[in-house]
Amino acid sequence: MPSSLLWAVDVYGRVYSLSTAGQQWEHCRDAHLEFKRVTAIQQCCWSIACDHQIYLYVHASDVPIRYQEETYENQVSWWNPVDGFSDRLLPSDRWQWSDVTGLKHQPLGDFQLPSENWEWEADWYVDENFGGEPTEKAGWTYAIDFPATYTKDKKWNSCVRRRRWIRYRRYKAQETWVKVCTKQTGSLPDPFNDITCGGWEITEEPRGCLSLWAVSLQGKVWFRCGINHHNPEGSVWEEVPVPGEVVQISCGPGDLVWAVLWEGDLLVREGIGRDCLKGSSWVMVESPDTGVAAAHVAVGVNVVWAVTKDHKVWFRRGVNSHNPCGSGWIGMVGEMAMINVGFNDQVWAIGFEDRAVYFRQGVTASELSGKAWKVVSVPRDSERSHSSASASSLQSAGCFFGGEVRLQSHASVLGDADPETERTGAEVVPTPEMGDALKPRIPKVTSDNFISELVSDRDGQISRRDAPPAGPSIPEEDHTEKEVEDRVSPAQVLSPSQSSGVDPQWSNVDLEEAQTHLASGPGDTAETSSLSSVVTYILALEEPYGPDEHPKWAWVSGGGCLVECHTQLNWFNSSTATGQPALNSSMQAMSHSITPAQTAEWRKQIFEQLSERSKREMENFMHYEQAIEQSVWVKKGTMQWWRDWKPHKWVDVQFALEQFSGAEGNKDGILFIYYTFNDEKKYLHVFINEVTILVPVLNDSKHTFAIYTAERTKQRWPIRLAAPTELEMHDWLALLSVSCCDSRGIQGPPSKQAIWSVTCRGDIFVSEPTKELEAIPYPTPCNQMFWRQVGGHLRIIESNSLGVVWGIGYDHTAWVHTGGYGGGFFQGLASSTDNIYTQTDVKSVSIYENQRWNPVTGYTNRGLPTDRYMWSDASGLKECTKNNTKPPSPNWTWVSDWTIDYAVPGGTDREGWQYAADFPASYHGYKTLKDFVRRRHWARKCKLTTTGPWQEVPPIPLSDITILPCGPKSTVEQVPLWAISNKGDVLCRLGVTSLTPGGSSWLHVGTDQPFKLISIGAVHQVWAIAKDGSTFFRGSVSTQNPAGDCWYHIPSPTGQKLKQVSVGRTSVYTVDENGTPIHVWIIADKVQGSHSLSCGTVCRRQGVLPNEPKGHSWDYGIGGGWDHITVRGNAMEAPRILMPSLTDNGSNQTAARPLQTSNQPEMNGNPVGC
Amino acid sequence: MADDKDVLRDVWFGRIPACFTLSPEETTEREAEPYYLLLPRVSYLTLVTDKVKKHFLRVMKAEDVEEMWFEYEGTPLKWHYPIGVLFDLHASNTALPWNVSVHFKNFPEHDLLHCPSNSVIEAHFMSCIKEADALKHKSQVINDMQKKDHKQLWMGLQNDKFDQFWAMNRKLMEYPINEGGFRYIPFRIYQTMSDRPFIQKLFRPVSPEGHALTLGDLLKELFPAAICVEDEPKRFQVMIHGIEPLLETPIQWLSEHLSHPDNFLHISIIPAPSD
């Protein structure tokens, strides 16, 4: 999984981030300011600096943030029949330059960049694409009059024409803090005091709206409007009226927003929804503890945590989106200064006593309150910019106490200071004459009310704090303790009694002086030693808080930090690990020792020598008798079997696998299924060496799998079995799979030429191609191919013959094959040890709510007797209520509640309804008089966690992928790999080689519209289909120029929108000369077997030759329930073409009917067709 | 990329082609045909030669038969060393198959241990495993196992069941990650020309400074002569399972992957062939 960041601010206002993969806090050096608050989400981090302004830090991404500006140029022809169209329009006509409606005047010159953080990508140009078709005449589209329907062809009566101009602007301020400008008309917010960002789960992609709430120093609440993917900074602040003075606010990933009032009660925002991110009203919730005011609140998706002024931590019961107020408070252990809820409702906090960052351990969906607090103890990166930080904190401190808001500008100057200088400074401190009089006097920069409050509360407690916390040495600690007290207590800082002669007086005058010194310091080393005590003192001050010290934190934000139950965090004290019993060792121990040495020479040598040895000692002697006779070995169990005769039903059977040594020393076996028929005991058997596949079957209640042989593939009637438990099924599948592989002599990782496929259940299968499969003229039927399962879960898989295999999960995550095998339920020896990783996937389960219109009551959930279920699947045939619908298989767990899907094709109304005249009919997103029924789509997310030889390729979610097919002896150094992101961006992966199949980075290839499918041919032909169906060819793609230079729009076959494109070795219209067979594999919708019908079947087109690209017949392989197959790795003797021209499109073009099965959801439930 | 698992398989499934001939000293009723067999490198001679025994008994009188023992070019073969070790030590660099003489008389009492039944081999095998685990884990793993687990290890070896054996042996190969290896490496160094049966000492896989020690480090300490000096011809071959690993191979990795089923790393040091 990709690493993500936890953000925190220390008491000096320095911003640090900690990667989930890292082990130290990284100082965010870019920040020249001190920050008071940060609120992070995955793509960015917002903050309030000491100047009370809001700053934004957008993480760099391979896909730029770009926005398309468009305007229309309008012309008429009747003015001037001779010259044709003219840009002089009638006064009643629309503007010569307008928006799409024609009503708004929009000349090119009026477009301005929204802020200085944007830049234009190129100049304006004419969009020549019209509804998926290229236009010929400079992008003009014609109509009889404005406003009318435009066509791309000019007709006799075309009197007006228009064309679209587009220009892209790009957000350039990434990986840097930028001030968020307040170009605000109307009332400007006063300086900000608190900020919180969230709400990304309310709206779906591609809108990607965010909610940013802020609290001003006067206690007003502001909402930042218009933050989305295309506008990271948002547009304006809107004030949200509050019934009191707010001190702090928290916004979760969903629709939860809570705020703390000055008086200590809490406010809950209600009415937040997709159409109203701001919400509508506040509800008051009392402080957790009567008499003690709430000081701080933090919310997640389904949780609320609070801290009261006595630092107690509280957890709110029963919070969810229907009941944002929850039902009651539970007191938790721990004393915290602040608390923050991040991703997955994980909780972070800052300890009140020690100011350390705490992580709440054991927070899961079922146990949202977690188990225990665990201190995050990792060092900070030690850096010489310490002095700069301290100096700047001095300045900001001055700003704060002087009541001035000033951007400090000297920090960077000092940051470049000679390290020598700093050291000299540092050495001054321990000198005796300075002595105890030298008490650090850094006032805290976190000026927020409640921390100040906490701090002042502490004054009374100082005396009883005599036991210093654990540290390297006690005297040092003592010193630190005092400093802490002093530092965090503004009262003491300002108290004159504490000031001695050398103590700095905290006034602006002194600060001015200090700044002068600091600015001149770096220039002159000699002068440094004679710096005033103030300056030396400040430099020295850092010493006690150096990298080895326990840092003091002021604020933490985990909104961008993804921690899941399987995440390995190395953030906690390593001493616990060493204290473990010696033999509580990991199962990965074997791999651990060798991982860094994977490619070492000694290792290679051993592999080579061992295979040489085997050859030398065994090759010529295989006819010798084996010394040890193999005995028969039996494993038995009970199962249920879907019986062969009618009525089909599950019957209890005994199940036994007998294994023995085959004739040639390899293992073989027979599988027996013992059943009773008419009180007579009978059995069914399968020879293990005839099994072609063992495939888990999608079933929401039983743990089922199917066993196919070549014969049963022909029949489309596998042996279907159900194991009593998931564990037993996995045990059996692993055992049977090993047994099948043994009988066929298959072991180790899949070859580079392997054929990969995925089923509709997301299971991954791999088959080793054989020469016989290619034999001419009688190839082995593909129902004899042996498929073995590989761990993991994918929706799409692509490979090439250099062993580069990529997949995309249902949640659009990209995965690259590590070269291993096994994982998932394959344990021990059926699995490689050193390249198996955790893989997760998330998908949505759909149900439909159906209603019929009734003249009296309007739409109701009472249908006609003949109607479908009022809660059903997409077909309406199966009843699916919110309660009875389960995740697709017991391996999945729900991770969200049911939500309405507004993103259905055809659109919906505001409540998500789609209307139609009757069931089933075509639905539209608005009600007309003829509509008597309506439905809406509900979706609920579920999640699977498994393992497999796959490594995530963060961070961009993908929807399609293609890899250059290579010949068997291809010497391509960098393998071209193209992908389409789930937002439709075209991407080209750089640095993909057979040794580094994951590549290094994405290169964004600009397009005028979102794309959906892509394919690359053997000579770098890149073809792609946009979301509107237009087909594009990328020009000049080559090894030297991996991204090509421009897109060519290719007209698609008349009357057809292309759904799939796949390019093989032969280019699109020309034919390969060398007469080698070409491969076409598809997944067919429906295949009739002798016993049954199967959907989603792997088929191979036979007789496809360069001069006969259509082939002559289909050869049916494994199925049904297959979703995706790739044969691009299979280049055993022929260059490949993957050309799914199913039937009738008459030409040998690259595209035709869908390669994948149709998307009817009902089929997904039915992988074995029966 | 080949996986380390493959090494385990290659080690387990290593076979030596052997040609058993009855010693001319034995008296037979009729001429005995040689008997050809693929011997598992990781097993023990007396465990896998039932067929050999049966074959020769057919041509012998019962009264001429005492305990069977084997000899190669005049050297009695110790059954309690793994077959691969015997082969590497005495017969590597010779033509295959390995010619082993079979004797039924004149048992060399001071060279060999008696092996009346397989239970003796089992006892020897299990005691080796226990000794190895004492070195690796202070016997904690082996003591945590149940009787049936011990049996599974032995049955795995006896019946040549790789999966069965490794399902259990895996546990013996684990160690705490933060320690970087076993407590001590169970190893034995054999030489052809020596009075000592083998060299065995306490040797840690990780140096006090924390870096992984190698095969070279081990030899430097225990058998410096085996390390080639520059400009001098190679005097010794360091053989493990018929191969010569590079001296920079980490000893911990070797112990995990090239140990015999008895959990010992058996290292044979033989004079380098003169040609």
Side-chain angles (χ1 to χ4, degrees):
Chain A
M1 69 185 286
S3 57
S4 52
L5 297 178
L6 177 72
W7 290 80
V9 185
D10 72 0
V11 290
Y12 298 100
R14 290 176 296 198
V15 178
Y16 285 84
S17 63
L18 173 60
S19 163
T20 49
Q23 275 180 289
Q24 67 170 4
W25 290 100
E26 302 282 345
H27 186 201
C28 190
R29 281 157 217 276
D30 178 65
H32 296 303
L33 288 163
E34 286 68 60
F35 288 100
K36 303 194 327 167
R37 297 276 162 100
V38 287
T39 176
I41 59 165
Q42 266 189 319
Q43 60 266 39
C44 63
C45 185
W46 296 82
S47 65
I48 300 178
C50 61
D51 60 1
H52 298 289
Q53 298 295 314
I54 292 195
Y55 287 78
L56 171 64
Y57 184 97
V58 178
H59 293 292
S61 161
D62 289 333
V63 179
I65 296 170
R66 59 207 288 267
Y67 183 80
Q68 186 190 61
E69 300 279 17
E70 64 167 27
T71 191
Y72 283 86
E73 185 183 358
N74 304 301
Q75 290 190 347
V76 287
S77 77
W78 58 44
W79 268 114
N80 194 341
V82 183
D83 297 342
F85 288 92
S86 143
D87 51 11
R88 282 169 295 155
L89 284 94
L90 274 178
S92 61
D93 273 332
R94 53 182 58 193
W95 302 99
Q96 186 198 336
W97 294 93
S98 73
D99 67 351
V100 65
T101 61
L103 302 175
K104 195 177 155 211
H105 184 49
Q106 276 192 172
L108 295 181
D110 278 9
F111 286 86
Q112 299 288 327
L113 291 171
S115 76
E116 61 194 11
N117 301 324
W118 291 85
E119 64 190 357
W120 291 111
E121 216 167 60
D123 205 354
W124 288 97
Y125 60 96
V126 171
D127 177 23
E128 297 188 341
N129 175 30
F130 179 69
E133 290 297 314
T135 55
E136 280 146 31
K137 300 160 199 84
W140 291 106
T141 55
Y142 299 86
I144 299 165
D145 192 4
F146 304 117
T149 315
Y150 293 85
T151 62
K152 68 172 187 147
D153 298 312
K154 186 181 170 185
K155 300 197 187 87
W156 63 270
N157 60 355
S158 301
C159 296
V160 296
R161 65 175 186 179
R162 70 170 185 187
R163 59 180 173 178
R164 191 164 83 119
W165 290 77
I166 49 184
R167 190 180 192 185
Y168 283 92
R169 57 181 156 89
R170 187 187 284 254
Y171 192 72
K172 62 178 182 186
Q174 292 183 331
E175 297 282 290
T176 182
W177 289 102
V178 293
K179 193 164 162 179
V180 175
C181 300
T182 40
K183 274 185 203 163
Q184 185 106 6
T185 53
S187 65
L188 265 167
D190 46 338
F192 287 114
N193 187 40
D194 190 34
I195 190 170
T196 181
C197 185
W200 63 86
E201 283 182 5
I202 301 175
T203 55
E204 65 285 344
E205 299 285 347
R207 270 172 78 190
C209 295
L210 285 177
S211 301
L212 183 71
W213 298 77
V215 176
S216 68
L217 283 175
Q218 291 172 12
K220 290 180 180 167
V221 171
W222 297 81
F223 181 81
R224 182 84 178 169
C225 294
I227 307 177
N228 59 43
H229 285 310
H230 299 300
N231 190 13
E233 292 178 8
S235 46
V236 288
W237 289 106
E238 277 180 25
E239 190 178 344
V240 180
V242 273
E245 214 172 294
V246 172
V247 290
Q248 189 254 332
I249 194 164
S250 175
C251 169
D255 51 9
L256 224 48
V257 174
W258 283 53
V260 182
L261 285 173
W262 177 252
E263 293 80 15
D265 287 329
L266 295 138
L267 287 179
V268 182
R269 191 72 179 166
E270 290 198 323
I272 294 176
R274 198 172 162 271
D275 299 311
C276 183
L277 295 173
K278 250 169 73 178
S280 52
S281 58
W282 295 104
V283 176
M284 185 94 78
V285 170
E286 282 188 3
S287 171
D289 202 353
T290 41
V292 186
H296 190 96
V297 70
V299 304
V301 180
N302 283 319
V303 297
V304 173
W305 292 73
V307 177
T308 43
K309 288 197 172 156
D310 54 0
H311 327 299
K312 282 198 181 122
V313 180
W314 301 84
F315 175 80
R316 185 83 177 165
R317 266 189 298 127
V319 178
N320 58 48
S321 109
H322 307 296
N323 181 20
C325 293
S327 49
W329 292 105
I330 304 172
M332 309 298 281
V333 291
E335 291 209 326
M336 297 297 167
M338 64 84 67
I339 201 159
N340 184 268
V341 179
F343 252 106
N344 284 337
D345 290 341
Q346 299 294 320
V347 182
W348 312 88
I350 291 187
F352 167 67
E353 290 281 330
D354 55 2
R355 295 291 156 146
V357 173
Y358 283 87
F359 171 60
R360 184 80 186 167
Q361 208 182 12
V363 175
T364 60
S366 53
E367 196 177 356
L368 287 166
S369 57
K371 292 197 170 71
W373 294 108
K374 212 170 173 187
V375 69
V376 174
S377 61
V378 294
R380 295 185 286 184
D381 54 348
S382 48
E383 73 285 305
R384 60 199 197 93
S385 61
H386 267 182
S387 62
S388 104
S390 74
S392 44
S393 55
L394 166 71
Q395 290 162 359
S396 68
C399 294
F400 174 64
F401 283 97
E404 279 179 39
V405 176
R406 184 194 306 152
L407 263 179
Q408 49 82 33
S409 53
H410 302 284
S412 57
V413 181
L414 198 80
D416 297 325
D418 188 347
E420 287 292 322
T421 319
E422 291 166 31
R423 220 167 298 137
T424 11
E427 279 157 10
V428 181
V429 168
T431 51
E433 60 263 36
M434 299 285 198
D436 285 339
L438 269 183
K439 293 237 171 91
R441 292 286 183 271
I442 294 280
K444 49 185 229 51
V445 288
T446 52
S447 62
D448 43 278
N449 305 334
F450 101 89
I451 287 200
S452 317
E453 199 124 341
L454 297 180
V455 162
S456 50
D457 281 349
R458 290 188 62 181
D459 286 350
Q461 302 170 2
I462 295 169
S463 54
R464 69 168 172 81
R465 295 194 53 211
D466 41 5
S473 75
I474 288 173
E476 214 178 329
E477 266 312 312
D478 255 333
H479 184 52
T480 320
E481 270 310 296
K482 279 189 206 130
E483 283 162 359
V484 174
E485 302 299 344
D486 290 348
R487 183 170 45 77
V488 295
S489 163
Q492 283 188 12
V493 168
L494 297 171
S495 131
S497 66
Q498 291 284 315
S499 312
S500 68
V502 282
D503 261 352
Q505 293 292 320
W506 290 99
S507 69
N508 282 333
V509 180
D510 274 7
L511 282 165
E512 227 81 273
E513 210 176 276
Q515 281 169 11
T516 329
H517 279 295
L518 289 167
S520 61
D524 187 350
T525 320
E527 198 194 317
T528 317
S529 50
S530 65
L531 281 176
S532 79
S533 63
V534 175
V535 177
T536 41
Y537 183 59
I538 286 147
L539 290 171
L541 181 72
E542 262 323 289
E543 250 346 69
Y545 304 101
D548 298 325
E549 268 309 319
H550 181 55
K552 311 282 184 229
W553 298 104
W555 201 259
V556 64
S557 175
C561 184
L562 183 61
V563 178
E564 291 178 284
C565 52
H566 56 81
T567 310
Q568 294 256 329
L569 287 178
N570 300 317
W571 293 355
F572 309 109
N573 211 338
S574 57
S575 64
T576 52
T578 45
Q580 279 170 356
L583 291 164
N584 184 15
S585 58
S586 94
M587 300 297 275
Q588 301 287 322
M590 278 200 228
S591 64
H592 251 272
S593 60
I594 51 123
T595 318
Q598 279 302 315
T599 51
E601 185 58 28
W602 58 261
R603 197 168 174 279
K604 218 172 101 194
Q605 180 102 356
I606 285 175
F607 276 76
E608 284 169 10
Q609 287 194 34
L610 274 173
S611 80
E612 267 170 44
R613 183 204 75 176
S614 301
K615 203 174 163 202
R616 180 176 73 236
E617 295 180 351
M618 287 151 72
E619 194 177 57
N620 296 322
F621 305 98
M622 286 317 288
H623 57 286
Y624 280 27
E625 201 179 332
Q626 290 284 349
I628 302 174
E629 293 289 352
Q630 288 290 330
S631 48
V632 177
W633 183 65
V634 184
K635 179 169 161 97
K636 288 181 181 160
T638 56
M639 294 237 186
Q640 285 193 310
W641 172 54
W642 187 252
R643 72 178 190 192
D644 271 347
W645 62 89
K646 283 181 182 164
H648 297 299
K649 62 172 187 181
W650 292 104
V651 292
D652 289 331
V653 293
Q654 295 290 314
F655 192 72
L657 171 68
E658 286 190 11
Q659 281 186 290
F660 47 84
S661 286
E664 284 147 18
N666 55 339
K667 269 195 248 167
D668 210 339
I670 307 176
L671 193 61
F672 292 93
I673 296 162
Y674 299 95
Y675 60 93
T676 17
F677 180 64
N678 291 341
D679 293 333
E680 200 180 329
K681 285 198 171 175
K682 294 197 161 188
Y683 73 88
L684 177 86
H685 70 276
V686 189
F687 291 105
I688 285 294
N689 63 15
E690 289 180 359
V691 171
T692 52
I693 191 168
L694 301 149
V695 52
V697 173
L698 208 55
N699 188 312
D700 59 10
S701 56
K702 281 181 185 296
H703 311 276
T704 62
F705 63 98
I707 300 173
Y708 280 91
T709 60
E711 186 56 32
R712 285 186 176 268
T713 304
K714 272 189 235 162
Q715 296 169 353
R716 306 276 149 211
W717 188 262
I719 298 172
R720 295 180 76 181
L721 294 157
T725 66
E726 184 182 356
L727 189 68
E728 275 179 75
M729 178 173 93
H730 287 165
D731 275 355
W732 274 108
L733 278 175
L735 176 71
L736 290 170
S737 181
V738 168
S739 185
C740 289
C741 288
D742 280 345
S743 78
R744 290 170 186 263
I746 293 171
Q747 61 179 43
S751 75
K752 292 178 173 179
Q753 284 76 37
I755 298 173
W756 294 79
S757 64
V758 290
T759 68
C760 63
R761 197 176 170 273
D763 290 318
I764 305 155
F765 286 88
V766 61
S767 179
E768 295 299 329
T770 55
K771 287 233 157 46
E772 292 75 40
L773 208 58
E774 320 294 331
I776 299 171
Y778 300 113
T780 312
C782 57
N783 58 28
Q784 292 189 11
M785 290 165 72
F786 174 69
W787 296 90
R788 62 170 161 148
Q789 192 172 354
V790 169
H793 190 266
L794 294 174
R795 185 176 58 87
I796 285 176
I797 194 160
E798 283 291 327
S799 67
N800 84 346
S801 61
L802 294 177
V804 178
V805 183
W806 281 54
I808 302 175
Y810 281 73
D811 60 357
H812 299 287
T813 309
W815 299 90
V816 62
H817 184 227
T818 59
Y821 58 100
F825 52 76
F826 295 99
Q827 300 291 319
L829 296 149
S831 174
S832 46
T833 42
D834 39 4
N835 37 27
I836 299 291
Y837 300 93
T838 301
Q839 192 184 24
T840 60
D841 209 349
V842 174
K843 68 177 181 183
S844 282
V845 173
S846 293
I847 57 172
Y848 287 86
E849 181 182 5
N850 305 299
Q851 292 191 346
R852 179 169 286 279
W853 190 77
N854 169 315
V856 183
T857 52
Y859 282 102
T860 66
N861 55 8
R862 276 199 303 275
L864 296 177
T866 54
D867 265 346
R868 56 181 53 195
Y869 295 102
M870 289 295 102
W871 288 90
S872 74
D873 65 352
S875 70
L877 300 175
K878 193 179 159 208
E879 181 169 30
C880 299
T881 63
K882 281 185 182 176
N883 287 332
N884 77 5
T885 304
K886 293 180 191 158
S889 83
N891 304 345
W892 294 81
T893 49
W894 294 123
V895 289
S896 76
D897 205 351
W898 290 104
T899 52
I900 296 168
D901 177 15
Y902 299 92
V904 288
T908 68
D909 71 1
R910 282 171 63 103
E911 289 178 311
W913 293 102
Q914 292 180 285
Y915 296 85
D918 197 1
F919 301 118
S922 65
Y923 296 90
H924 39 263
Y926 48 89
K927 181 174 159 35
T928 69
L929 279 177
K930 286 182 284 182
D931 291 327
F932 290 99
V933 298
R934 64 178 187 177
R935 70 167 188 187
R936 59 179 170 182
H937 180 208
W938 290 80
R940 189 176 189 189
K941 282 183 189 158
C942 54
K943 182 170 180 175
L944 173 82
T945 302
T946 179
T947 58
W950 305 96
Q951 253 187 320
E952 183 168 353
V953 186
I956 301 177
L958 302 181
S959 66
D960 195 22
I961 197 163
T962 183
I963 309 171
L964 181 89
C966 301
K969 292 188 187 79
S970 176
T971 53
V972 184
E973 270 185 16
Q974 286 229 345
V975 180
L977 187 152
W978 289 62
I980 298 198
S981 81
N982 68 337
K983 296 199 186 82
D985 296 297
V986 177
L987 303 161
C988 174
R989 188 77 179 171
L990 302 180
V992 177
T993 67
S994 51
L995 286 177
T996 56
S1000 53
S1001 62
W1002 290 110
L1003 185 66
H1004 179 253
V1005 179
T1007 58
D1008 288 344
Q1009 52 177 324
F1011 276 46
K1012 60 177 183 183
L1013 293 163
I1014 195 154
S1015 181
I1016 183 169
V1019 284
H1020 297 85
Q1021 321 92 303
V1022 177
W1023 287 76
I1025 301 179
K1027 282 200 174 138
D1028 67 1
S1030 39
T1031 312
F1032 288 89
F1033 174 73
R1034 184 81 182 168
S1036 306
V1037 181
S1038 66
T1039 324
Q1040 291 75 35
N1041 186 13
D1045 56 5
C1046 63
W1047 292 104
Y1048 295 98
H1049 191 163
I1050 309 294
S1052 52
T1054 33
Q1056 287 189 345
K1057 291 252 164 132
L1058 296 180
K1059 278 187 173 167
Q1060 171 97 27
V1061 62
S1062 184
V1063 190
R1065 171 139 188 155
T1066 51
S1067 63
V1068 184
Y1069 294 104
T1070 60
V1071 167
D1072 196 53
E1073 296 296 314
N1074 56 13
T1076 46
I1078 294 164
H1079 284 210
V1080 179
W1081 294 70
I1082 62 144
I1083 293 184
D1085 270 4
K1086 282 181 179 152
V1087 170
Q1088 179 66 52
S1090 59
H1091 284 49
S1092 169
L1093 182 92
S1094 72
C1095 304
T1097 305
V1098 173
C1099 304
R1100 176 177 56 165
R1101 190 72 178 164
Q1102 285 188 326
V1104 178
L1105 293 169
N1107 48 5
E1108 196 189 341
K1110 281 169 71 182
H1112 54 71
S1113 63
W1114 289 106
D1115 176 23
Y1116 301 111
I1118 193 68
W1122 257 253
D1123 257 5
H1124 196 95
I1125 185 169
T1126 176
V1127 294
R1128 286 173 164 248
N1130 177 15
M1132 289 192 71
E1133 53 188 40
R1136 299 305 104 169
I1137 182 168
L1138 187 87
M1139 212 179 68
S1141 59
L1142 241 184
T1143 40
D1144 52 10
N1145 79 337
S1147 76
N1148 54 351
Q1149 287 183 18
T1150 49
R1153 299 276 289 273
L1155 181 72
Q1156 293 165 40
T1157 48
S1158 74
N1159 292 325
Q1160 298 159 13
E1162 58 268 23
M1163 215 189 58
N1164 287 346
N1166 187 15
V1168 267
C1170 51
Chain B
M1 165 80 73
D3 194 90
D4 284 347
K5 286 271 170 53
D6 303 338
V7 175
L8 303 180
R9 271 181 192 278
D10 280 353
V11 164
W12 183 274
F13 291 105
R15 296 283 186 270
I16 293 163
C19 170
F20 289 92
T21 46
L22 196 60
S23 160
E25 297 160 27
E26 305 291 329
T27 48
T28 58
E29 291 188 307
R30 53 181 190 274
E31 200 183 338
E33 294 284 326
Y35 195 80
Y36 297 93
L37 207 55
L38 277 177
L39 302 174
R41 269 181 165 270
V42 296
S43 194
Y44 298 96
L45 267 178
T46 42
L47 187 61
V48 296
T49 47
D50 281 351
K51 290 176 183 175
V52 178
K53 193 170 181 179
K54 270 186 206 141
H55 172 79
F56 290 115
L57 287 185
R58 270 186 267 148
V59 299
M60 294 177 73
K61 280 194 210 145
E63 62 263 33
D64 294 330
V65 178
E66 290 162 28
E67 185 174 348
M68 178 172 69
W69 58 280
F70 303 95
E71 162 252 299
Y72 173 71
E73 292 185 345
T75 313
L77 297 174
K78 294 182 170 66
W79 64 262
H80 62 282
Y81 290 1
I83 293 167
V85 174
L86 293 172
F87 177 80
D88 290 345
L89 207 52
H90 304 297
S92 53
N93 308 317
T94 61
L96 291 169
W98 183 24
N99 283 303
V100 179
S101 297
V102 184
H103 296 261
F104 288 95
K105 271 193 298 207
N106 304 327
F107 192 87
E109 299 288 344
H110 51 272
D111 285 325
L112 299 186
L113 297 172
H114 281 286
C115 179
S117 75
N118 282 359
S119 61
V120 177
I121 313 173
E122 180 181 354
H124 166 72
F125 173 71
M126 288 315 300
S127 77
C128 284
I129 287 199
K130 284 172 186 165
E131 184 182 344
D133 200 56
L135 294 169
K136 290 201 280 195
H137 308 120
K138 298 181 181 168
S139 299
Q140 284 178 12
V141 179
I142 196 79
N143 289 344
D144 283 351
M145 286 185 182
Q146 297 177 344
K147 183 74 192 156
K148 71 173 173 55
D149 300 336
H150 293 182
K151 204 75 188 168
Q152 184 171 341
L153 287 166
W154 166 246
M155 295 302 282
L157 178 74
Q158 188 180 28
N159 298 327
D160 194 24
K161 298 276 190 223
F162 175 75
D163 299 323
Q164 191 183 343
F165 176 80
W166 268 100
M168 202 45 69
N169 200 48
R170 204 156 50 107
K171 298 183 184 168
L172 293 168
M173 290 297 176
E174 288 169 2
Y175 57 86
I177 294 165
N178 48 10
E179 281 173 25
F182 303 135
R183 255 176 92 243
Y184 298 105
I185 297 291
F187 72 94
R188 283 171 184 171
I189 295 176
Y190 302 84
Q191 302 152 256
T192 33
M193 306 300 176
S194 172
D195 296 334
R196 293 172 68 181
F198 47 75
I199 307 173
Q200 182 179 346
K201 278 190 177 159
L202 291 182
F203 188 83
R204 290 188 188 269
V206 180
S207 72
E209 295 81 42
H211 56 252
L213 293 173
T214 64
L215 178 61
D217 295 326
L218 177 85
L219 292 173
K220 219 175 285 166
E221 192 173 324
L222 296 169
F223 203 96
I227 295 170
C228 273
V229 186
E230 267 181 65
D231 308 328
E232 275 182 38
K234 187 169 150 187
R235 289 168 57 208
F236 293 102
Q237 282 183 300
V238 179
M239 286 263 197
I240 307 173
H241 290 287
I243 65 168
E244 293 178 75
L246 291 180
L247 293 181
E248 57 262 33
T249 313
I251 197 76
Q252 174 66 29
W253 190 93
L254 285 174
S255 183
E256 285 172 52
H257 296 90
L258 291 188
S259 282
H260 275 264
D262 64 6
N263 276 254
F264 272 89
L265 189 60
H266 295 276
I267 304 166
S268 306
I269 298 185
I270 55 170
S274 47
D275 44 52

